[in-house]
Amino acid sequence: SGNTATCSFDVEVEDNEDPTFTCPTPSNPYSADAGACTAALDFEVTDAEDNCGVASVEYEVGSNPITYPYDFPVGVTTVLVTVTDVSGNTATCTFSVVVQDTQLPTITPPANVTVQCNSIPGPGTPTASDNCGILSVVYNGQTITPGACPDAYTITHQWTATDLSGNTNTATRTVTVIDTQKPNFTSVPSNVTVQCDAIPPVGTPTATDNCDASVAITYIGQTKTNGSCPNNYTLTRRWVVADNCGNTRSTSQVITVIDTGKPFFTSFPANTTINCSDPVPPVGTPTASDACGTATVLYLGQTTVSGSCANNYQIKRTWRATDQCGNSTVSTQIIQVVDNTPPVFTSVPANVTILCTEPLPPVGTPTASDACGGYVHITFLGNTPSGSGCETSYTIIRTWRADDLCGNSATATQVITVQAVPFAPEVEERDAVRPSVSWDDNGLLTLQPNPTTDRVLIGLGSFAGERVVVSIHNELGQLLWERTVEVVPDLMLPVQLREAGAKPGLFTVSVRCNGRVVAKRLVLVE
């Protein structure tokens, strides 16, 4: 009938069974993840079981719960695993995870460079990084690899980076050293212009190089470029400097050689003095030379330069020496011709003896010649008596002077011996027959000037066509001067009184013609 009756009782069931699981067993060691100092590992328990059911699985590192995946640090990490069932029963285990740092540090050196040998940089400073941190970066030094020449080589710088785990990594930077720069001349003999006999010796340039401490300078030699004449030209001297890597540079010096110096005579006829009667020396043959070569000598001829007189003069002989560039020197030899030889009388009136009662013989006409030729002027210097009258004998010396064209003179004398005679009537008779003297008051005889200091002109025009004797006597009646003249119209006869030996005083000028005598007084003053 569906009737029921109920009761209740309590059944207490206990769960005292611990859960079960398999504790992870890592295959240590593990490497840290790339770029990190940890390893992301997952060691989850997947087989935990319990009779009543598993409530939870928990993981702890130290006292800190962790979840998976977990980043295990480098080193040993102990993990505590706790499995709890629904009844609170637990089961635990521990395991160790070993993580090691096997990653090498990263090191970035300075960039490779190519530099000139005089611009080598220092090692520089690299940069380094690591997943766990850098302990140190150490410069290991450099190595040099020789190249094609002493200043072309390779420098390799090396560094080592060490991380906190002792991992190391090295890096290198390459410095390629080259030498492509040419050396430079620091001094070069300057361009000069010199005379052909003063060409300088080859100079010594200096040079430096950016890398080579001692460069080699080679003299290549010189070339000659001809100019307008043999001693005008240009010398070009060349040098080449090379460094130890074969880089070269050349330079040159230009020497302009000129010849403006004149040649010089090495032998030349000496100047000389000769007498006008000597033969003129023959034309000489001088020689000449030049500082830079030969010279030719050309005779230009001779000229005559008048001197103080006709036979005193100079003969100038001239030569010109010319070198190969047309420079010339002219030199002259002077031959001084002198006339210092007096003329020579070729004829002189002979000495005579007369009685004191006789008239003096007429003044003669000596002749003379000169060794050098030319006109010789003869001057009557007058009479020099040693006495007078007829009481005693005496002499009258007539003197002539011969002067050549150069003033050289010689004298000649005629001695007239006047013998004394006793007074006799015949003397008076002789005097009685002498022509009478008429003093000229009609101007038949003119004297200009009168008085005079020396020269007088005796006018004889009134005696034209006649042959007359003109005489000049002193106050003592002594004959001073006398000439026989063929008179032409308007004749004025010149007389140099002092040359005839006259001294200041009173003189008588007389003209004898056809038995008559015309006289006039003449006064000679100082």
Side-chain angles (χ1 to χ4, degrees), residues 408-442:
N408 301 300
S409 63
T411 59
T413 59
Q414 177 193 28
V415 178
I416 301 174
T417 302
V418 181
Q419 292 183 341
V421 296
F423 179 78
E426 61 268 27
V427 174
E428 293 182 357
E429 293 175 0
R430 182 184 300 170
D431 290 339
V433 298
R434 290 178 179 174
S436 62
V437 178
S438 64
W439 294 98
D440 180 25
D441 294 325
N442 300 318

PDB file of all heavy atoms in Angstrom, residues 408-442:
ATOM      1  N   ASN A 408     162.329 123.613 -82.119  1.00  0.00           N
ATOM      2  CA  ASN A 408     163.727 123.247 -81.885  1.00  0.00           C
ATOM      3  C   ASN A 408     164.608 124.237 -82.656  1.00  0.00           C
ATOM      4  O   ASN A 408     164.291 124.604 -83.794  1.00  0.00           O
ATOM      5  CB  ASN A 408     163.991 121.822 -82.350  1.00  0.00           C
ATOM      6  CG  ASN A 408     163.109 120.819 -81.638  1.00  0.00           C
ATOM      7  OD1 ASN A 408     163.154 120.697 -80.419  1.00  0.00           O
ATOM      8  ND2 ASN A 408     162.281 120.104 -82.401  1.00  0.00           N
ATOM      9  N   SER A 409     165.645 124.631 -82.033  1.00  0.00           N
ATOM     10  CA  SER A 409     166.469 125.676 -82.673  1.00  0.00           C
ATOM     11  C   SER A 409     167.952 125.348 -82.580  1.00  0.00           C
ATOM     12  O   SER A 409     168.382 124.600 -81.683  1.00  0.00           O
ATOM     13  CB  SER A 409     166.191 127.038 -82.038  1.00  0.00           C
ATOM     14  OG  SER A 409     166.564 127.033 -80.672  1.00  0.00           O
ATOM     15  N   ALA A 410     168.658 125.902 -83.512  1.00  0.00           N
ATOM     16  CA  ALA A 410     170.126 125.826 -83.530  1.00  0.00           C
ATOM     17  C   ALA A 410     170.654 127.188 -83.973  1.00  0.00           C
ATOM     18  O   ALA A 410     169.961 127.937 -84.682  1.00  0.00           O
ATOM     19  CB  ALA A 410     170.590 124.723 -84.469  1.00  0.00           C
ATOM     20  N   THR A 411     171.838 127.515 -83.524  1.00  0.00           N
ATOM     21  CA  THR A 411     172.415 128.820 -83.903  1.00  0.00           C
ATOM     22  C   THR A 411     173.703 128.595 -84.683  1.00  0.00           C
ATOM     23  O   THR A 411     174.381 127.570 -84.529  1.00  0.00           O
ATOM     24  CB  THR A 411     172.706 129.675 -82.666  1.00  0.00           C
ATOM     25  OG1 THR A 411     173.613 128.974 -81.811  1.00  0.00           O
ATOM     26  CG2 THR A 411     171.429 130.010 -81.919  1.00  0.00           C
ATOM     27  N   ALA A 412     173.967 129.571 -85.508  1.00  0.00           N
ATOM     28  CA  ALA A 412     175.231 129.581 -86.276  1.00  0.00           C
ATOM     29  C   ALA A 412     175.763 131.006 -86.282  1.00  0.00           C
ATOM     30  O   ALA A 412     175.000 131.975 -86.183  1.00  0.00           O
ATOM     31  CB  ALA A 412     175.009 129.078 -87.697  1.00  0.00           C
ATOM     32  N   THR A 413     177.050 131.136 -86.354  1.00  0.00           N
ATOM     33  CA  THR A 413     177.659 132.474 -86.284  1.00  0.00           C
ATOM     34  C   THR A 413     178.654 132.655 -87.430  1.00  0.00           C
ATOM     35  O   THR A 413     179.230 131.699 -87.964  1.00  0.00           O
ATOM     36  CB  THR A 413     178.385 132.669 -84.942  1.00  0.00           C
ATOM     37  OG1 THR A 413     179.393 131.669 -84.811  1.00  0.00           O
ATOM     38  CG2 THR A 413     177.422 132.599 -83.778  1.00  0.00           C
ATOM     39  N   GLN A 414     178.752 133.892 -87.768  1.00  0.00           N
ATOM     40  CA  GLN A 414     179.814 134.337 -88.694  1.00  0.00           C
ATOM     41  C   GLN A 414     180.671 135.337 -87.933  1.00  0.00           C
ATOM     42  O   GLN A 414     180.146 136.269 -87.324  1.00  0.00           O
ATOM     43  CB  GLN A 414     179.233 134.995 -89.938  1.00  0.00           C
ATOM     44  CG  GLN A 414     180.289 135.531 -90.889  1.00  0.00           C
ATOM     45  CD  GLN A 414     179.709 136.444 -91.963  1.00  0.00           C
ATOM     46  OE1 GLN A 414     178.674 137.081 -91.738  1.00  0.00           O
ATOM     47  NE2 GLN A 414     180.386 136.541 -93.107  1.00  0.00           N
ATOM     48  N   VAL A 415     181.972 135.142 -87.969  1.00  0.00           N
ATOM     49  CA  VAL A 415     182.876 136.051 -87.264  1.00  0.00           C
ATOM     50  C   VAL A 415     183.510 137.000 -88.295  1.00  0.00           C
ATOM     51  O   VAL A 415     184.143 136.558 -89.255  1.00  0.00           O
ATOM     52  CB  VAL A 415     183.975 135.277 -86.511  1.00  0.00           C
ATOM     53  CG1 VAL A 415     184.935 136.254 -85.823  1.00  0.00           C
ATOM     54  CG2 VAL A 415     183.358 134.313 -85.501  1.00  0.00           C
ATOM     55  N   ILE A 416     183.258 138.279 -88.086  1.00  0.00           N
ATOM     56  CA  ILE A 416     183.876 139.315 -88.925  1.00  0.00           C
ATOM     57  C   ILE A 416     184.979 139.959 -88.087  1.00  0.00           C
ATOM     58  O   ILE A 416     184.692 140.574 -87.050  1.00  0.00           O
ATOM     59  CB  ILE A 416     182.858 140.373 -89.375  1.00  0.00           C
ATOM     60  CG1 ILE A 416     181.712 139.706 -90.164  1.00  0.00           C
ATOM     61  CG2 ILE A 416     183.527 141.464 -90.203  1.00  0.00           C
ATOM     62  CD1 ILE A 416     180.581 140.653 -90.516  1.00  0.00           C
ATOM     63  N   THR A 417     186.180 139.757 -88.526  1.00  0.00           N
ATOM     64  CA  THR A 417     187.314 140.354 -87.803  1.00  0.00           C
ATOM     65  C   THR A 417     187.605 141.732 -88.406  1.00  0.00           C
ATOM     66  O   THR A 417     187.861 141.865 -89.605  1.00  0.00           O
ATOM     67  CB  THR A 417     188.557 139.476 -87.930  1.00  0.00           C
ATOM     68  OG1 THR A 417     188.245 138.160 -87.411  1.00  0.00           O
ATOM     69  CG2 THR A 417     189.730 140.067 -87.161  1.00  0.00           C
ATOM     70  N   VAL A 418     187.478 142.724 -87.581  1.00  0.00           N
ATOM     71  CA  VAL A 418     187.713 144.118 -88.008  1.00  0.00           C
ATOM     72  C   VAL A 418     189.112 144.508 -87.532  1.00  0.00           C
ATOM     73  O   VAL A 418     189.380 144.529 -86.324  1.00  0.00           O
ATOM     74  CB  VAL A 418     186.656 145.069 -87.444  1.00  0.00           C
ATOM     75  CG1 VAL A 418     186.912 146.491 -87.930  1.00  0.00           C
ATOM     76  CG2 VAL A 418     185.251 144.593 -87.825  1.00  0.00           C
ATOM     77  N   GLN A 419     189.956 144.772 -88.507  1.00  0.00           N
ATOM     78  CA  GLN A 419     191.332 145.104 -88.163  1.00  0.00           C
ATOM     79  C   GLN A 419     191.523 146.629 -88.049  1.00  0.00           C
ATOM     80  O   GLN A 419     190.976 147.390 -88.847  1.00  0.00           O
ATOM     81  CB  GLN A 419     192.302 144.586 -89.242  1.00  0.00           C
ATOM     82  CG  GLN A 419     192.380 143.071 -89.285  1.00  0.00           C
ATOM     83  CD  GLN A 419     193.397 142.583 -90.299  1.00  0.00           C
ATOM     84  OE1 GLN A 419     193.782 143.343 -91.214  1.00  0.00           O
ATOM     85  NE2 GLN A 419     193.826 141.342 -90.159  1.00  0.00           N
ATOM     86  N   ALA A 420     192.267 147.009 -87.049  1.00  0.00           N
ATOM     87  CA  ALA A 420     192.540 148.435 -86.842  1.00  0.00           C
ATOM     88  C   ALA A 420     193.579 148.910 -87.864  1.00  0.00           C
ATOM     89  O   ALA A 420     194.515 148.182 -88.209  1.00  0.00           O
ATOM     90  CB  ALA A 420     193.064 148.670 -85.426  1.00  0.00           C
ATOM     91  N   VAL A 421     193.432 150.164 -88.325  1.00  0.00           N
ATOM     92  CA  VAL A 421     194.411 150.773 -89.252  1.00  0.00           C
ATOM     93  C   VAL A 421     194.688 152.188 -88.775  1.00  0.00           C
ATOM     94  O   VAL A 421     193.823 152.829 -88.197  1.00  0.00           O
ATOM     95  CB  VAL A 421     193.878 150.780 -90.689  1.00  0.00           C
ATOM     96  CG1 VAL A 421     193.700 149.361 -91.201  1.00  0.00           C
ATOM     97  CG2 VAL A 421     192.565 151.542 -90.780  1.00  0.00           C
ATOM     98  N   PRO A 422     195.907 152.677 -89.030  1.00  0.00           N
ATOM     99  CA  PRO A 422     196.182 154.054 -88.626  1.00  0.00           C
ATOM    100  C   PRO A 422     195.356 155.030 -89.467  1.00  0.00           C
ATOM    101  O   PRO A 422     194.913 154.699 -90.559  1.00  0.00           O
ATOM    102  CB  PRO A 422     197.667 154.215 -88.911  1.00  0.00           C
ATOM    103  CG  PRO A 422     198.155 152.918 -89.452  1.00  0.00           C
ATOM    104  CD  PRO A 422     197.031 152.006 -89.616  1.00  0.00           C
ATOM    105  N   PHE A 423     195.157 156.240 -88.921  1.00  0.00           N
ATOM    106  CA  PHE A 423     194.434 157.265 -89.662  1.00  0.00           C
ATOM    107  C   PHE A 423     195.190 157.618 -90.927  1.00  0.00           C
ATOM    108  O   PHE A 423     196.387 157.823 -90.910  1.00  0.00           O
ATOM    109  CB  PHE A 423     194.273 158.510 -88.794  1.00  0.00           C
ATOM    110  CG  PHE A 423     193.571 159.614 -89.500  1.00  0.00           C
ATOM    111  CD1 PHE A 423     192.203 159.593 -89.653  1.00  0.00           C
ATOM    112  CD2 PHE A 423     194.320 160.692 -90.041  1.00  0.00           C
ATOM    113  CE1 PHE A 423     191.583 160.635 -90.322  1.00  0.00           C
ATOM    114  CE2 PHE A 423     193.670 161.708 -90.720  1.00  0.00           C
ATOM    115  CZ  PHE A 423     192.303 161.690 -90.858  1.00  0.00           C
ATOM    116  N   ALA A 424     194.511 157.643 -91.977  1.00  0.00           N
ATOM    117  CA  ALA A 424     195.142 157.939 -93.277  1.00  0.00           C
ATOM    118  C   ALA A 424     194.228 158.821 -94.084  1.00  0.00           C
ATOM    119  O   ALA A 424     193.024 158.693 -93.998  1.00  0.00           O
ATOM    120  CB  ALA A 424     195.445 156.659 -94.044  1.00  0.00           C
ATOM    121  N   PRO A 425     194.873 159.735 -94.921  1.00  0.00           N
ATOM    122  CA  PRO A 425     194.032 160.638 -95.697  1.00  0.00           C
ATOM    123  C   PRO A 425     193.125 159.910 -96.670  1.00  0.00           C
ATOM    124  O   PRO A 425     192.040 160.369 -96.947  1.00  0.00           O
ATOM    125  CB  PRO A 425     195.053 161.517 -96.447  1.00  0.00           C
ATOM    126  CG  PRO A 425     196.287 161.463 -95.609  1.00  0.00           C
ATOM    127  CD  PRO A 425     196.304 160.128 -94.984  1.00  0.00           C
ATOM    128  N   GLU A 426     193.600 158.712 -97.129  1.00  0.00           N
ATOM    129  CA  GLU A 426     192.757 158.032 -98.096  1.00  0.00           C
ATOM    130  C   GLU A 426     191.430 157.616 -97.507  1.00  0.00           C
ATOM    131  O   GLU A 426     190.456 157.452 -98.228  1.00  0.00           O
ATOM    132  CB  GLU A 426     193.470 156.836 -98.698  1.00  0.00           C
ATOM    133  CG  GLU A 426     193.870 155.770 -97.700  1.00  0.00           C
ATOM    134  CD  GLU A 426     195.296 155.974 -97.168  1.00  0.00           C
ATOM    135  OE1 GLU A 426     195.750 157.131 -97.163  1.00  0.00           O
ATOM    136  OE2 GLU A 426     195.939 155.003 -96.750  1.00  0.00           O
ATOM    137  N   VAL A 427     191.397 157.481 -96.154  1.00  0.00           N
ATOM    138  CA  VAL A 427     190.111 157.117 -95.534  1.00  0.00           C
ATOM    139  C   VAL A 427     189.156 158.274 -95.725  1.00  0.00           C
ATOM    140  O   VAL A 427     188.004 158.082 -96.064  1.00  0.00           O
ATOM    141  CB  VAL A 427     190.305 156.783 -94.055  1.00  0.00           C
ATOM    142  CG1 VAL A 427     188.984 156.562 -93.384  1.00  0.00           C
ATOM    143  CG2 VAL A 427     191.207 155.558 -93.904  1.00  0.00           C
ATOM    144  N   GLU A 428     189.687 159.486 -95.509  1.00  0.00           N
ATOM    145  CA  GLU A 428     188.820 160.635 -95.677  1.00  0.00           C
ATOM    146  C   GLU A 428     188.383 160.733 -97.111  1.00  0.00           C
ATOM    147  O   GLU A 428     187.245 161.087 -97.398  1.00  0.00           O
ATOM    148  CB  GLU A 428     189.559 161.898 -95.239  1.00  0.00           C
ATOM    149  CG  GLU A 428     189.832 161.921 -93.739  1.00  0.00           C
ATOM    150  CD  GLU A 428     190.533 163.209 -93.336  1.00  0.00           C
ATOM    151  OE1 GLU A 428     190.826 164.016 -94.242  1.00  0.00           O
ATOM    152  OE2 GLU A 428     190.757 163.430 -92.137  1.00  0.00           O
ATOM    153  N   GLU A 429     189.317 160.415 -98.013  1.00  0.00           N
ATOM    154  CA  GLU A 429     188.935 160.466 -99.421  1.00  0.00           C
ATOM    155  C   GLU A 429     187.854 159.433 -99.704  1.00  0.00           C
ATOM    156  O   GLU A 429     186.921 159.690-100.453  1.00  0.00           O
ATOM    157  CB  GLU A 429     190.178 160.226-100.292  1.00  0.00           C
ATOM    158  CG  GLU A 429     191.207 161.348-100.208  1.00  0.00           C
ATOM    159  CD  GLU A 429     192.468 161.020-100.980  1.00  0.00           C
ATOM    160  OE1 GLU A 429     192.499 159.912-101.574  1.00  0.00           O
ATOM    161  OE2 GLU A 429     193.397 161.841-100.974  1.00  0.00           O
ATOM    162  N   ARG A 430     187.997 158.224 -99.034  1.00  0.00           N
ATOM    163  CA  ARG A 430     186.956 157.221 -99.267  1.00  0.00           C
ATOM    164  C   ARG A 430     185.634 157.713 -98.750  1.00  0.00           C
ATOM    165  O   ARG A 430     184.602 157.542 -99.395  1.00  0.00           O
ATOM    166  CB  ARG A 430     187.365 155.925 -98.594  1.00  0.00           C
ATOM    167  CG  ARG A 430     186.381 154.795 -98.823  1.00  0.00           C
ATOM    168  CD  ARG A 430     186.779 153.542 -98.052  1.00  0.00           C
ATOM    169  NE  ARG A 430     188.080 153.064 -98.455  1.00  0.00           N
ATOM    170  CZ  ARG A 430     188.763 152.109 -97.829  1.00  0.00           C
ATOM    171  NH1 ARG A 430     188.252 151.559 -96.745  1.00  0.00           N
ATOM    172  NH2 ARG A 430     189.952 151.737 -98.250  1.00  0.00           N
ATOM    173  N   ASP A 431     185.710 158.367 -97.566  1.00  0.00           N
ATOM    174  CA  ASP A 431     184.443 158.871 -97.037  1.00  0.00           C
ATOM    175  C   ASP A 431     183.886 159.976 -97.918  1.00  0.00           C
ATOM    176  O   ASP A 431     182.690 160.139 -98.052  1.00  0.00           O
ATOM    177  CB  ASP A 431     184.655 159.430 -95.623  1.00  0.00           C
ATOM    178  CG  ASP A 431     184.933 158.300 -94.624  1.00  0.00           C
ATOM    179  OD1 ASP A 431     184.561 157.131 -94.950  1.00  0.00           O
ATOM    180  OD2 ASP A 431     185.460 158.579 -93.528  1.00  0.00           O
ATOM    181  N   ALA A 432     184.805 160.705 -98.575  1.00  0.00           N
ATOM    182  CA  ALA A 432     184.328 161.831 -99.384  1.00  0.00           C
ATOM    183  C   ALA A 432     183.547 161.366-100.578  1.00  0.00           C
ATOM    184  O   ALA A 432     182.682 162.085-101.052  1.00  0.00           O
ATOM    185  CB  ALA A 432     185.522 162.687 -99.811  1.00  0.00           C
ATOM    186  N   VAL A 433     183.844 160.165-101.036  1.00  0.00           N
ATOM    187  CA  VAL A 433     183.138 159.703-102.222  1.00  0.00           C
ATOM    188  C   VAL A 433     181.855 158.945-101.879  1.00  0.00           C
ATOM    189  O   VAL A 433     181.154 158.491-102.768  1.00  0.00           O
ATOM    190  CB  VAL A 433     184.053 158.797-103.076  1.00  0.00           C
ATOM    191  CG1 VAL A 433     185.256 159.590-103.561  1.00  0.00           C
ATOM    192  CG2 VAL A 433     184.501 157.573-102.269  1.00  0.00           C
ATOM    193  N   ARG A 434     181.626 158.775-100.555  1.00  0.00           N
ATOM    194  CA  ARG A 434     180.378 158.105-100.158  1.00  0.00           C
ATOM    195  C   ARG A 434     179.195 158.973-100.567  1.00  0.00           C
ATOM    196  O   ARG A 434     179.275 160.202-100.528  1.00  0.00           O
ATOM    197  CB  ARG A 434     180.347 157.854 -98.650  1.00  0.00           C
ATOM    198  CG  ARG A 434     181.343 156.781 -98.201  1.00  0.00           C
ATOM    199  CD  ARG A 434     181.283 156.615 -96.701  1.00  0.00           C
ATOM    200  NE  ARG A 434     182.216 155.577 -96.250  1.00  0.00           N
ATOM    201  CZ  ARG A 434     182.442 155.302 -94.982  1.00  0.00           C
ATOM    202  NH1 ARG A 434     181.819 155.990 -94.031  1.00  0.00           N
ATOM    203  NH2 ARG A 434     183.303 154.349 -94.649  1.00  0.00           N
ATOM    204  N   PRO A 435     178.159 158.372-100.927  1.00  0.00           N
ATOM    205  CA  PRO A 435     176.970 159.159-101.294  1.00  0.00           C
ATOM    206  C   PRO A 435     176.471 159.936-100.092  1.00  0.00           C
ATOM    207  O   PRO A 435     176.586 159.488 -98.955  1.00  0.00           O
ATOM    208  CB  PRO A 435     175.981 158.092-101.773  1.00  0.00           C
ATOM    209  CG  PRO A 435     176.423 156.822-101.143  1.00  0.00           C
ATOM    210  CD  PRO A 435     177.904 156.917-101.031  1.00  0.00           C
ATOM    211  N   SER A 436     175.943 161.054-100.370  1.00  0.00           N
ATOM    212  CA  SER A 436     175.405 161.884 -99.291  1.00  0.00           C
ATOM    213  C   SER A 436     174.074 161.316 -98.823  1.00  0.00           C
ATOM    214  O   SER A 436     173.345 160.700 -99.588  1.00  0.00           O
ATOM    215  CB  SER A 436     175.227 163.333 -99.789  1.00  0.00           C
ATOM    216  OG  SER A 436     174.296 163.355-100.853  1.00  0.00           O
ATOM    217  N   VAL A 437     173.815 161.567 -97.549  1.00  0.00           N
ATOM    218  CA  VAL A 437     172.574 161.074 -96.941  1.00  0.00           C
ATOM    219  C   VAL A 437     171.594 162.220 -96.857  1.00  0.00           C
ATOM    220  O   VAL A 437     171.931 163.286 -96.322  1.00  0.00           O
ATOM    221  CB  VAL A 437     172.834 160.496 -95.538  1.00  0.00           C
ATOM    222  CG1 VAL A 437     171.539 160.052 -94.909  1.00  0.00           C
ATOM    223  CG2 VAL A 437     173.837 159.359 -95.620  1.00  0.00           C
ATOM    224  N   SER A 438     170.411 161.992 -97.397  1.00  0.00           N
ATOM    225  CA  SER A 438     169.344 162.998 -97.267  1.00  0.00           C
ATOM    226  C   SER A 438     168.284 162.441 -96.324  1.00  0.00           C
ATOM    227  O   SER A 438     167.857 161.291 -96.452  1.00  0.00           O
ATOM    228  CB  SER A 438     168.746 163.308 -98.647  1.00  0.00           C
ATOM    229  OG  SER A 438     168.112 162.173 -99.193  1.00  0.00           O
ATOM    230  N   TRP A 439     167.934 163.287 -95.394  1.00  0.00           N
ATOM    231  CA  TRP A 439     166.903 162.862 -94.425  1.00  0.00           C
ATOM    232  C   TRP A 439     165.546 163.042 -95.072  1.00  0.00           C
ATOM    233  O   TRP A 439     165.231 164.081 -95.633  1.00  0.00           O
ATOM    234  CB  TRP A 439     167.035 163.661 -93.129  1.00  0.00           C
ATOM    235  CG  TRP A 439     168.323 163.333 -92.421  1.00  0.00           C
ATOM    236  CD1 TRP A 439     169.457 164.040 -92.469  1.00  0.00           C
ATOM    237  CD2 TRP A 439     168.558 162.190 -91.644  1.00  0.00           C
ATOM    238  NE1 TRP A 439     170.452 163.450 -91.753  1.00  0.00           N
ATOM    239  CE2 TRP A 439     169.905 162.252 -91.194  1.00  0.00           C
ATOM    240  CE3 TRP A 439     167.788 161.089 -91.232  1.00  0.00           C
ATOM    241  CZ2 TRP A 439     170.493 161.310 -90.415  1.00  0.00           C
ATOM    242  CZ3 TRP A 439     168.405 160.168 -90.426  1.00  0.00           C
ATOM    243  CH2 TRP A 439     169.719 160.258 -90.036  1.00  0.00           C
ATOM    244  N   ASP A 440     164.790 161.972 -94.991  1.00  0.00           N
ATOM    245  CA  ASP A 440     163.512 161.925 -95.716  1.00  0.00           C
ATOM    246  C   ASP A 440     162.489 162.786 -95.004  1.00  0.00           C
ATOM    247  O   ASP A 440     162.095 162.485 -93.871  1.00  0.00           O
ATOM    248  CB  ASP A 440     163.034 160.477 -95.819  1.00  0.00           C
ATOM    249  CG  ASP A 440     161.720 160.375 -96.566  1.00  0.00           C
ATOM    250  OD1 ASP A 440     161.437 161.257 -97.368  1.00  0.00           O
ATOM    251  OD2 ASP A 440     160.981 159.384 -96.319  1.00  0.00           O
ATOM    252  N   ASP A 441     162.119 163.855 -95.693  1.00  0.00           N
ATOM    253  CA  ASP A 441     161.036 164.683 -95.176  1.00  0.00           C
ATOM    254  C   ASP A 441     159.844 164.656 -96.110  1.00  0.00           C
ATOM    255  O   ASP A 441     158.845 165.358 -95.873  1.00  0.00           O
ATOM    256  CB  ASP A 441     161.522 166.132 -95.016  1.00  0.00           C
ATOM    257  CG  ASP A 441     162.608 166.248 -93.948  1.00  0.00           C
ATOM    258  OD1 ASP A 441     162.500 165.490 -92.945  1.00  0.00           O
ATOM    259  OD2 ASP A 441     163.524 167.038 -94.126  1.00  0.00           O
ATOM    260  N   ASN A 442     159.974 163.965 -97.224  1.00  0.00           N
ATOM    261  CA  ASN A 442     158.906 163.961 -98.226  1.00  0.00           C
ATOM    262  C   ASN A 442     158.103 162.663 -98.263  1.00  0.00           C
ATOM    263  O   ASN A 442     157.337 162.415 -99.190  1.00  0.00           O
ATOM    264  CB  ASN A 442     159.505 164.208 -99.619  1.00  0.00           C
ATOM    265  CG  ASN A 442     160.226 165.538 -99.682  1.00  0.00           C
ATOM    266  OD1 ASN A 442     159.736 166.542 -99.147  1.00  0.00           O
ATOM    267  ND2 ASN A 442     161.402 165.559-100.313  1.00  0.00           N
TER     268      ASN A 442
END
